[in-house]
Amino acid sequence: MSLSLILTHPGGSHKDELLACSLLAAVHRVPIVRREPTPEDLADPTIAVVDVGGEHAPERNNFDHHQFPADHPPVCALSLVLQHLGVYEDARQFCDWLEPAEWFDTRGPNVTAKWLGVDRNTMNKLNSPIDITVLRRFAKAKRLDPGEPLWEILSYIGADLLEYLRELRTRLDYIAQQAQIWTVDDHEILFLPRTDPMPDEPSAGIDRYLATIGKATTVAALIYPDRRGSGYGLSRHNDNPLYDFTRIDKQPDVHFAHARGFVAKTSAAEIGRVKELLGLARV
């Protein structure tokens, strides 16, 4: 359903409602108004009521969490909008900042710091002037319309987040279809073959993929298409010390080996030769 307005509360602003409004602005490109909602606003499905109103009714685009009981799992307005857009599970899996943001908004800084296992003062040290300025300017606004600088910034934030989640999901599905896991002695190697067409960044998303299949610690090295050549890139995974690619820097078909040994590029396209180079790099 198309929206005519995004409505959120006045006063102080938090990442919770700012990001929720950013997502909706990116999708619907409608004004954002900061005031208390009326019963008519809550009843109107073309008005998204965010982080205020005492109601979670996604069928009417109402996304408040404050009425949830104190022992409810940490869920904020941003969580509800992500659920509504069908990307919440991916966001929880791939946006490492989301769960802490949910805790911070629903449990406060002290409980969140304890949950994270850090000192309360550490939380303040993570603040960015970018966060402070955007939140402060958003809090001062009563209405933001498309075309205004702050509205456009919010829309960019929402659009980039959605693009990241959707592109990463597509990328992970591609890796799942193409990747092979080789067993070598007591560890594993991920091999991603060349395809036509080739992704712009062939190695992108591999770390996330390995985490999703529970092999973040068992895979020691990666082999993937070299986007700048016809061969392959070889790299350590999580800086695993089992491989040092400086050991193959004199091989005639290796045109690059980083001085710190964590990555190399070869023009070899034949898999047997690639495996041979990997064996030569084994410490």
Side-chain angles (χ1 to χ4, degrees):
M1 180 180 295
S2 297
L3 297 180
S4 62
L5 189 70
I6 301 165
L7 179 64
T8 191
H9 59 80
S13 175
H14 303 96
K15 286 183 183 180
D16 167 36
E17 82 274 5
L18 183 144
L19 290 173
C21 289
S22 296
L23 289 166
L24 293 171
V27 173
H28 296 280
R29 299 196 63 81
V30 296
I32 301 170
V33 171
R34 305 193 74 240
R35 63 168 171 79
E36 295 295 335
T38 65
E40 291 75 20
D41 294 325
L42 291 166
D44 187 344
T46 71
I47 298 177
V49 181
V50 178
D51 205 40
V52 68
E55 178 178 83
H56 177 222
E59 71 279 4
R60 282 184 279 110
N61 290 301
N62 296 335
F63 306 103
D64 195 14
H65 65 100
H66 292 97
Q67 72 281 358
F68 295 158
D71 59 351
H72 192 280
V75 171
C76 59
L78 171 60
S79 318
L80 303 180
V81 170
L82 287 166
Q83 290 172 12
H84 181 63
L85 296 176
V87 294
Y88 179 70
E89 295 304 323
D90 279 351
R92 276 295 301 269
Q93 190 169 9
F94 305 134
C95 298
D96 298 327
W97 51 266
L98 177 56
E99 189 175 11
E102 292 173 321
W103 273 77
F104 197 96
D105 194 78
T106 59
R107 301 294 194 266
N110 292 321
V111 173
T112 302
K114 185 177 180 179
W115 171 71
L116 288 171
V118 299
D119 183 80
R120 171 65 181 87
N121 292 330
T122 301
M123 304 291 288
N124 293 332
K125 295 176 182 178
L126 298 176
N127 284 335
S128 161
I130 297 173
D131 296 337
I132 294 169
T133 295
V134 174
L135 287 167
R136 179 172 175 269
R137 294 290 176 171
F138 186 60
K140 292 175 67 174
K142 293 183 179 180
R143 180 185 176 100
L144 295 169
D145 287 288
E148 295 179 0
L150 184 53
W151 188 97
E152 294 294 340
I153 288 173
L154 298 182
S155 178
Y156 287 152
I157 292 170
D160 283 358
L161 176 54
L162 289 173
E163 182 179 345
Y164 165 74
L165 291 172
R166 287 166 179 164
E167 287 187 354
L168 182 57
R169 170 48 57 197
T170 299
R171 177 65 182 156
L172 294 181
D173 290 344
Y174 166 83
I175 295 173
Q177 292 172 359
Q178 302 294 334
Q180 303 171 22
I181 303 292
W182 301 340
T183 299
V184 179
D185 299 331
D186 59 348
H187 63 279
E188 294 174 313
I189 307 295
L190 180 138
F191 170 67
L192 193 62
R194 300 186 71 88
T195 57
D196 186 16
M198 267 237 306
D200 292 338
E201 294 290 342
S203 63
I206 291 178
D207 286 352
R208 289 287 187 184
Y209 170 71
L210 290 173
T212 64
I213 64 171
K215 291 188 176 293
T217 59
T218 61
V219 168
L222 314 173
I223 303 172
Y224 47 85
D226 180 5
R227 65 185 176 89
R228 295 181 179 176
S230 59
Y232 285 89
L234 302 91
S235 67
R236 294 196 293 239
H237 181 237
N238 286 338
D239 210 25
N240 194 297
L242 288 176
Y243 290 90
D244 178 0
F245 293 106
T246 62
R247 297 165 67 93
I248 59 172
D249 64 350
K250 303 301 183 186
Q251 295 294 313
D253 49 2
V254 173
H255 54 271
F256 172 76
H258 196 282
R260 296 185 66 86
F262 63 86
V263 64
K265 300 291 181 70
T266 176
S267 58
E270 200 275 316
I271 302 308
R273 174 57 177 165
V274 175
K275 287 183 176 182
E276 182 182 355
L277 291 171
L278 191 69
L280 293 172
R282 176 74 184 268
V283 175

